Amino acid sequence: MSQRPGTHVPALRAETEKALGITQRSAPFNFAWTGDIRKRYTDFLVNEIRRDGVVLHLRDYQEDPVVQPQDANARKPQAAINKPDNKPKVNPISEDDRKVIVGLLGESVAQSLIKLDENVQAKNQMTPKERNVEFNPITDRSQRATIHQEIRRVFHSRIETVADALGVITATPSKWGQNSRGANNQGGRRDNGRRGQNQEFRELGGEYLHFTLYKENKDTMDAVNTIARLLKVKASNFGFAGTKDRRAGTVQRISVHRQKPSNLTWLNTRIPNVKVGEFEFSKNPLQLGQHGGNEFIITLKNCEPIGGNDCSLVPRMKMIQQSLECGLAYLKHNGYINYYGLQRFGTYSIGTHLLGMKILREDYEGFIDDILHVDHDLIREVLNNPPQPYVAGKDFQNRDDQNRARAITTWKTTRNAEKALEFLPKRFSSETAIIRHLAKAPKDFNGAILSITRGMRMMYIHAYQSYVWNYVATRRWSKYGPKVIEGDLVLVTDTPRHKSPDGEYNPYDDDDDDNMYAQARALTAADVASGKYAIFDVVLPTPGYDVLYPRNEIGEYYAEFMGREENGALSPYEMRRKQREFSLSGNYRPLIGRFIADAQYAIRAYCDDTEQMYPTDLDYATHKKTLERQAKAKALLTGPASLGSWRHFANNPSTHDDAMASERRRKAEDEAPSDRVVMTKETWVQTGVDGSAKRVKLARHQFENQTINDLPHGYAALTNPTLSTMPAVKSESSLSDDDDDSFLHIPGSGGAPLFSPKKEASPPRVITDGPIPMITIPKDTIPTSGIRGVSDTYYASTGQKPYFGAIPTNMQTPVNGVATLQGPAIKSESVDMFGWYGANLPKVSETTAVSQANGTKDPEPTNPSSDGPELINGIALPKWRTASSNPLSTAPNDIDEATLDPAATRVAVILKFQLKQSNYATIVLRELMGTTAEERAL
C-alpha cells in the first residue's frame, strides 16, 4: 500500500474524514478557530491511565544494569569470590499453609512433613526412615483427595503421596526432588533448573515482569517487536492494555513473560527514543482493556481565530481563548460524537477497512493485490533511483516506503522472493509473510492471508466494522441529534453476553472491555417518555452475529449501507465465515463520548514551529539526571573544606583564575573612589647560592596608605630593618642587577641567614602626585603608579610628576587624587601574605564547575524561587487554566502582554484532557475547533 498524503493539511484531512463517514459535530454552532496538529510528533503526548485513575509516567530510568557492590567479598580470596555458592536455598512454608496441614493431619505428622520438605530442598542425605512419612488410615475418599491436593499445593509438588488399599497414605520425596544419582544426570539438571526458575519467579512475585514503556514516533507493536527481537524472545510473550499512536510521545504499561529487569535496562541505550523502567513482577500478564483510559497533552500550532486573521497578536490570542472557553464548556456538558479516528484506518492510500472488506467478501486474491499495491508515481521514482541505505537523521518513512515499493516491484516482475526481501524493510511484516508464502505456493491466497499474524488479520476486519459504525453514527445524529427515540439501544449491565468462542483477540484493538460482552435492549415508547434515558445511554453496535440492531430506521440503515457494492455487498445479519476467525460477533459503542475529568488549556505566543511547548517524560528524566549530576558535584565540593577547595581548584584552575580577575574588575567598578593610595610590594627569594642574580617571586601584596605599624603581623618582620629575623626580603622596585645580597630567613626557623646583608631593606614606598617633596628614584627602577586599572604610560602622559618615597604615617588621599598630610593614619584590612589562593579561592557557580568537569553544558535546573515559569530541561511549563462551566458569566483574560516575546507572531494552544480507552483525541480536537473553509467546500 502506498503512503496516504499527509492528513495534517486541512483540505486533505477534511476529505479523508468525509470518506470515512466523519462529517457531523455535536455542537450546533461553530467555535471559530483552527490549528495544526502534530507539527512535531512530541506535540502529541499520550499517557496511559490505570484503572485506579493514576496517570502513568516514566520520569526516570537506568541506562545500564545496576552492578551490586562487592564489599562483602572484599577480603575474601579471589578463588572464594569466583567459586559459585551451590548450597540450595530452603524456603519455609507460610504460617497459613502450616495451619492447613496441622488441621488435616495433626501436629506430629505436620512436623514430619515439614522436616521432609526441608531435607528435600537442602538436598540432604536421608535414611529410608526419614524419606517416608506415613499417616493414619483415612477411609473417607474425599478427605484423602483433599490431603493429596493440599500437600501438592503447600509443598509445590516436592512431596508426593500414595494411598494403599487400607487408606494409609505414605509421603515421599517426588522423583525430581530426590537426592539420588538419577537427579544428577543431564535430564535431571534441566528439570531441576526449570523447577528452580519457577521457584525464583514465585519469590519475586510472579512470572510476568511489568514495566513502563516510553516511546517516540513508534507504534506499540513496532516497539514491542523491536524489544522482542533484541531479547531473542517471541512478541507473543508481551502484553499490554492498549495500543498507542505512532506519531506521538507515549507512556504505557507492558508485561513480558519470564524476564528480569537487568535484561531490559540495557535497551535504554540500544533503541532510539525508547526507554523502559518502573519494573514490578506480577502473577498475571496485561491484557487489552485493562486500563482506565488515556491522558492527552496536545500542542496545536499556527492557531487562528476564524475571521480574525488580520488582527494583531494579542487580540488573536484573546479571541482564541474565548473560543476555547466556550468549546470546552460545551463538550463538558454535551460530549462529542464518538467516531473512530483516522488512525483506525491506517495511513495508506488503501485503508485497512477496505482490506477487511475483501476478507469478509472472501476475495482473498483481491486482498493480496491491495496489500501489495504500489502507486505508479512511486514505482517510477524507485526505478530511477538506487536503493537508499540507512542514513542517520534522514526521513526513514520516505526511505522505507521507497524500499517497500522496490521490493514489491521486484517480486511482481521477477517472482524472486529472496531478491525482493533484500529490499523490504522489516517493519512491513504482512508483505514479508505474503511474499514468502506465495513463493512456495503461488495460488494459495487463503494460506498467504493466514501467514500474516493473527493480530494484523483481525485489525483489518475490525477496521471495516469501525467504518460501518462511523456512517451509522452520522446517520443517527444527522436525523435525530441528541434526542432519544424509540428503538434506540441501551446496555443491560446485569446480563452480560457469553464470551465468543471464536475469540476475536486483536492486539491492535483496545475497545472498552466493559462493553465487549455486554447485552443491550431496545427502548420502548414508555422508556422514552419516562425521561430516564439520555443520549449518553444510547449505544450503536458494530456489525456482528451476536449483537442486537436498533429497532427503528437506524437498524434498517445497517443493511442498506453494507449492502451497497462499494461497501462489500454484505449483510449485517450474516457475519459468520468458513474461516472461523473471520467471523465477527460484534460489539457496542456509546454514540456520545465525554471527558473523564475537566479539561485544561494554555495559550502561548511563539516564533518557530519546531519549538517544544511542553516537556515529554524523557525531558523530565533528562532534567532529573542533570540535577543528580549537579548534586553529586556539589557534594564533592562541600566535603572537607581544604580537600573540597583543592579538588575544585585542581579540576578548574583556569576557571578560578578567570573568576579572580572577574571579581577584581567587579570590585573596581562597584567600589566608590578611594581616598587612599595603593602600594604594591612583591616578595622575592634568592635561589642561587653561588651569588648569581637568580630569584623567584613568592607573592605580590597591595596596601593602601599603610605605615610600618599598620602592616599585618609577620609582614613587618620582613620589612622592618631593626628586626634581624628577616632583614633582606626586598620589593621588586628596590632590586637592581647589582643586588646579590638578598636572602630568605623564615621567622622562627632558628637557622642562620645564608648571606650577610650589605644594606638595610628599603621601607615601603608609594608613588603619587601632589605637594609631597620628590626624592631621587633608584637607578634602573621603573616607576609604577600602583593605581589599579591605570597604566603607567597613561599616568606619565598626564604631565604630573610622580612621588616615590616613604609612606607618611598620617597621609590621606582626597578624592581628587592630591595627597595631603592631614588627619590620622588610615588602617587597611589585613592581608594574608602567603595566602595565594588558599581560603580565598574565588567562588565559581556549581553549574559552571559541573559543566566543565563533564565537558558538556548541562541545562539550567528549575529555580523554584524564580518569578518566571518553571523550566524542565529548558522547556517552560505552562500555566494551566480550567475552562469555566459558564464561560459567558466571566471574561477570562490570562494573556500577560508584558511577558510575550516581542518577536513572536504565532499562537499555540496546549490542551490537556482525559478520555476513555477507545476514544480518539483527534475527534475531540475536531469537535473543539471550528468548521474550516475546506470542510464547508466539500
Side-chain angles (χ1 to χ4, degrees):
M1 294 175 290
S2 301
Q3 187 74 22
R4 180 187 297 160
T7 54
H8 64 279
V9 179
L12 294 176
R13 186 177 184 87
E15 183 179 354
T16 304
E17 288 176 344
K18 182 179 180 181
L20 296 173
I22 307 172
T23 59
Q24 299 295 308
R25 282 183 169 84
S26 63
F29 44 82
N30 196 340
F31 296 120
W33 70 283
T34 61
D36 293 340
I37 304 174
R38 304 192 213 214
K39 281 291 189 179
R40 299 167 52 110
Y41 53 79
T42 49
D43 287 343
F44 202 96
L45 304 179
V46 188
N47 291 74
E48 195 169 81
I49 303 174
R50 300 190 322 196
R51 286 195 164 181
D52 59 2
V54 175
V55 180
L56 285 175
H57 288 282
L58 183 63
R59 297 291 172 82
D60 194 13
Y61 59 88
Q62 295 179 359
E63 294 184 339
D64 291 305
V66 178
V67 179
Q68 297 297 332
Q70 300 293 331
D71 296 342
N73 296 326
R75 297 185 179 181
K76 293 183 180 180
Q78 187 64 31
I81 295 176
N82 296 332
K83 183 178 180 180
D85 185 9
N86 294 325
K87 186 176 180 180
K89 184 179 180 181
V90 176
N91 299 288
I93 66 173
S94 66
E95 183 61 28
D96 292 340
D97 288 340
R98 182 184 176 279
K99 292 179 180 179
V100 170
I101 298 299
V102 171
L104 290 173
L105 302 172
E107 182 69 33
S108 177
V109 176
Q111 288 295 340
S112 299
L113 282 175
I114 293 172
K115 180 63 175 177
L116 175 62
D117 179 62
E118 291 175 351
N119 286 330
V120 170
Q121 293 188 63
K123 297 189 180 299
N124 294 332
Q125 294 289 344
M126 293 179 285
T127 65
K129 183 177 181 180
E130 293 174 337
R131 292 170 53 137
N132 293 272
V133 178
E134 290 187 355
F135 309 161
N136 294 327
I138 301 175
T139 57
D140 188 347
R141 186 172 182 179
S142 61
Q143 185 178 358
R144 289 201 305 267
T146 301
I147 292 174
H148 290 311
Q149 294 172 1
E150 289 301 313
I151 289 178
R152 281 197 301 269
R153 181 188 65 81
V154 171
F155 298 107
H156 302 290
S157 298
R158 290 187 293 268
I159 297 176
E160 59 185 15
T161 53
V162 177
D164 60 15
L166 300 177
V168 177
I169 299 177
T170 303
T172 58
S174 62
K175 293 181 179 180
W176 68 267
Q178 294 183 47
N179 187 19
S180 62
R181 292 182 181 180
N184 291 329
N185 58 24
Q186 187 175 4
R189 282 199 300 269
R190 285 199 301 265
D191 192 38
N192 289 343
R194 180 71 175 179
R195 301 277 185 169
Q197 194 177 48
N198 290 342
Q199 178 65 23
E200 182 182 6
F201 279 109
R202 279 196 295 267
E203 293 172 358
L204 291 172
E207 294 186 347
Y208 294 92
L209 178 65
H210 291 208
F211 61 92
T212 301
L213 169 70
Y214 172 85
K215 63 179 181 62
E216 292 179 2
N217 207 23
K218 289 179 181 290
D219 63 37
T220 301
M221 287 304 300
D222 187 14
V224 165
N225 288 332
T226 302
I227 295 173
R229 185 172 65 252
L230 292 176
L231 294 181
K232 295 181 172 56
V233 299
K234 295 181 179 180
S236 58
N237 288 354
F238 292 82
F240 42 83
T243 57
K244 299 293 179 286
D245 300 69
R246 180 183 70 84
R247 191 167 173 78
T250 70
V251 178
Q252 66 184 117
R253 203 69 174 159
I254 303 287
S255 68
V256 60
H257 187 242
R258 285 182 173 269
Q259 291 291 327
K260 300 288 185 63
S262 58
N263 296 346
L264 276 77
T265 52
W266 69 278
L267 298 172
N268 289 328
T269 58
R270 303 308 195 278
I271 310 176
N273 300 327
V274 172
K275 305 297 178 187
V276 296
E278 301 291 336
F279 300 101
E280 181 183 8
F281 285 94
S282 175
K283 296 179 180 179
N284 303 307
L286 286 172
Q287 296 180 352
L288 288 172
Q290 290 182 341
H291 67 305
N294 297 292
E295 180 180 82
F296 298 87
I297 299 180
I298 301 173
T299 300
L300 298 101
K301 295 177 178 175
N302 291 323
C303 297
E304 294 287 349
I306 295 177
N309 297 348
D310 296 332
C311 298
S312 59
L313 179 66
V314 175
R316 281 187 285 136
M317 295 178 71
K318 292 181 178 179
M319 293 169 68
I320 292 173
Q321 184 179 22
Q322 292 172 354
S323 298
L324 276 171
E325 287 280 342
C326 294
L328 290 174
Y330 182 89
L331 294 184
K332 177 181 178 180
H333 292 292
N334 300 281
Y336 52 89
I337 302 177
N338 198 19
Y339 286 120
Y340 288 96
L342 297 186
Q343 58 266 45
R344 181 75 167 189
F345 307 97
T347 57
Y348 294 93
S349 56
I350 298 180
T352 54
H353 64 290
L354 299 178
L355 295 172
M357 182 180 69
K358 292 290 181 68
I359 293 177
L360 293 174
R361 292 184 63 176
E362 299 182 341
D363 181 9
Y364 301 143
E365 185 176 2
F367 173 88
I368 298 298
D369 290 339
D370 284 350
I371 204 170
L372 297 182
H373 172 76
V374 179
D375 283 343
H376 294 294
D377 293 339
L378 197 55
I379 292 177
R380 286 196 299 267
E381 184 177 347
V382 299
L383 291 178
N384 296 329
N385 296 290
Q388 297 187 34
Y390 174 78
V391 178
K394 290 194 67 175
D395 183 3
F396 77 91
Q397 181 71 47
N398 183 61
R399 182 201 69 227
D400 283 359
D401 287 341
Q402 290 190 14
N403 287 337
R404 174 188 174 277
R406 189 180 306 277
I408 293 176
T409 303
T410 301
W411 162 251
K412 289 183 176 180
T413 55
T414 67
R415 290 293 164 172
N416 187 335
E418 184 177 353
K419 185 66 174 178
L421 294 178
E422 290 180 2
F423 302 114
L424 192 59
K426 291 182 179 179
R427 70 188 188 92
F428 296 103
S429 59
S430 297
E431 290 89 334
T432 300
I434 288 174
I435 291 175
R436 283 178 175 168
H437 184 85
L438 292 180
K440 300 175 183 178
K443 295 298 183 179
D444 184 14
F445 302 117
N446 185 25
I449 295 176
L450 294 177
S451 68
I452 303 173
T453 60
R454 187 164 188 261
M456 291 294 295
R457 299 195 300 267
M458 299 306 296
M459 180 189 72
Y460 298 139
I461 57 179
H462 285 180
Y464 177 78
Q465 288 179 302
S466 304
Y467 171 73
V468 174
W469 193 96
N470 277 357
Y471 270 93
V472 174
T474 292
R475 177 79 170 201
R476 168 66 177 77
W477 188 265
S478 62
K479 291 203 68 173
Y480 303 104
K483 180 182 178 182
V484 178
I485 62 173
E486 183 180 356
D488 279 341
L489 300 181
V490 295
L491 295 179
V492 182
T493 56
D494 56 346
T495 56
R497 288 185 293 160
H498 294 292
K499 184 175 180 179
S500 168
D502 300 320
E504 293 177 35
Y505 171 76
N506 176 18
Y508 292 87
D509 190 357
D510 60 343
D511 275 344
D512 189 350
D513 66 335
D514 292 338
N515 300 342
M516 186 67 71
Y517 304 109
Q519 285 278 18
R521 71 176 183 89
L523 296 179
T524 64
D527 292 328
V528 174
S530 69
K532 180 180 177 181
Y533 298 96
I535 192 63
F536 302 109
D537 301 314
V538 175
V539 296
L540 293 175
T542 59
Y545 60 79
D546 194 26
V547 294
L548 179 69
Y549 292 96
R551 300 295 175 85
N552 50 33
E553 185 266 343
I554 301 302
E556 298 172 359
Y557 183 73
Y558 275 91
E560 175 190 341
F561 179 79
M562 294 176 61
R564 299 173 187 172
E565 185 63 30
E566 64 270 20
N567 296 329
L570 300 171
S571 170
Y573 305 102
E574 298 176 1
M575 300 303 294
R576 295 185 184 272
R577 296 294 179 270
K578 296 177 182 179
Q579 191 68 38
R580 184 176 178 180
E581 67 178 54
F582 296 157
S583 299
L584 297 177
S585 61
N587 189 27
Y588 296 103
R589 183 177 178 85
L591 174 63
I592 299 296
R594 306 181 77 176
F595 293 132
I596 295 177
D598 288 344
Q600 296 177 300
Y601 71 90
I603 301 177
R604 280 186 178 172
Y606 72 101
C607 301
D608 188 359
D609 282 343
T610 62
E611 181 180 349
Q612 183 70 24
M613 297 291 184
Y614 191 87
T616 66
D617 275 34
L618 184 58
D619 288 318
Y620 273 97
T622 302
H623 182 77
K624 181 178 180 180
K625 292 182 183 300
T626 298
L627 295 181
E628 289 174 350
R629 287 195 299 268
Q630 293 176 353
K632 186 180 295 185
K634 182 178 179 180
L636 291 175
L637 299 177
T638 57
S642 59
L643 180 61
S645 297
W646 170 249
R647 183 183 289 111
H648 195 170
F649 169 70
N651 290 335
N652 305 275
S654 60
T655 302
H656 286 284
D657 291 341
D658 294 342
M660 288 184 66
S662 177
E663 183 69 10
R664 286 197 298 268
R665 287 193 298 269
R666 186 190 65 78
K667 289 183 178 180
E669 294 170 357
D670 294 347
E671 64 186 7
S674 174
D675 58 354
R676 298 181 177 184
V677 178
V678 177
M679 181 201 74
T680 302
K681 187 174 183 64
E682 294 179 342
T683 304
W684 293 67
V685 62
Q686 186 74 24
T687 62
V689 297
D690 57 353
S692 65
K694 294 180 180 179
R695 53 186 178 268
V696 176
K697 181 166 67 176
L698 291 182
R700 187 171 185 263
H701 317 279
Q702 288 183 340
F703 308 100
E704 295 184 358
N705 206 20
Q706 292 178 322
T707 66
I708 298 298
N709 296 328
D710 296 328
L711 295 177
H713 178 69
Y715 191 84
L718 300 177
T719 57
N720 193 338
T722 62
L723 300 176
S724 60
T725 54
M726 197 163 187
V729 176
K730 299 186 177 184
S731 67
E732 186 180 29
S733 61
S734 64
L735 293 173
S736 67
D737 293 339
D738 298 333
D739 291 334
D740 58 0
D741 56 353
S742 298
F743 67 93
L744 176 63
H745 181 74
I746 304 300
S749 65
L754 298 176
F755 299 102
S756 298
K758 292 182 180 180
K759 55 186 176 181
E760 296 177 352
S762 300
R765 297 174 181 270
V766 69
I767 295 177
T768 186
D769 51 357
I772 301 177
M774 301 297 294
I775 66 169
T776 304
I777 298 177
K779 179 184 178 181
D780 297 329
T781 300
I782 300 175
T784 245
S785 67
I787 301 175
R788 181 170 58 241
V790 180
S791 68
D792 300 325
T793 303
Y794 173 79
Y795 185 84
S797 68
T798 61
Q800 298 174 330
K801 297 180 179 181
Y803 165 76
F804 185 92
I807 300 176
T809 58
N810 59 347
M811 183 178 71
Q812 280 188 318
T813 304
V815 177
N816 59 10
V818 179
T820 66
L821 300 177
Q822 301 173 0
I826 301 175
K827 295 184 178 181
S828 67
E829 296 180 357
S830 298
V831 178
D832 182 6
M833 183 186 70
F834 291 108
W836 300 344
Y837 292 105
N840 297 322
L841 281 169
K843 196 168 185 180
V844 181
S845 69
E846 297 166 4
T847 302
T848 303
V850 174
S851 299
Q852 292 197 359
N854 296 336
T856 58
K857 181 174 178 58
D858 283 330
E860 291 292 333
T862 300
N863 182 10
S865 62
S866 174
D867 294 334
E870 183 180 2
L871 297 178
I872 299 296
N873 201 29
I875 302 172
L877 289 178
K879 182 180 179 181
W880 294 113
R881 178 183 176 90
T882 302
S884 171
S885 296
N886 185 6
L888 300 179
S889 63
T890 59
N893 184 11
D894 288 346
I895 311 301
D896 188 355
E897 300 181 28
T899 62
L900 298 181
D901 183 356
T905 58
R906 305 178 183 182
V907 182
V909 171
I910 309 175
L911 293 169
K912 181 178 181 181
F913 53 87
Q914 297 180 356
L915 301 178
K916 294 190 68 174
Q917 52 202 23
S918 62
N919 295 13
Y920 290 81
T922 52
I923 296 299
V924 174
L925 299 179
R926 179 182 177 276
E927 291 267 12
L928 187 59
M929 292 187 286
T931 305
T932 63
E934 291 78 12
E935 288 179 284
R936 290 194 292 268
L938 292 175

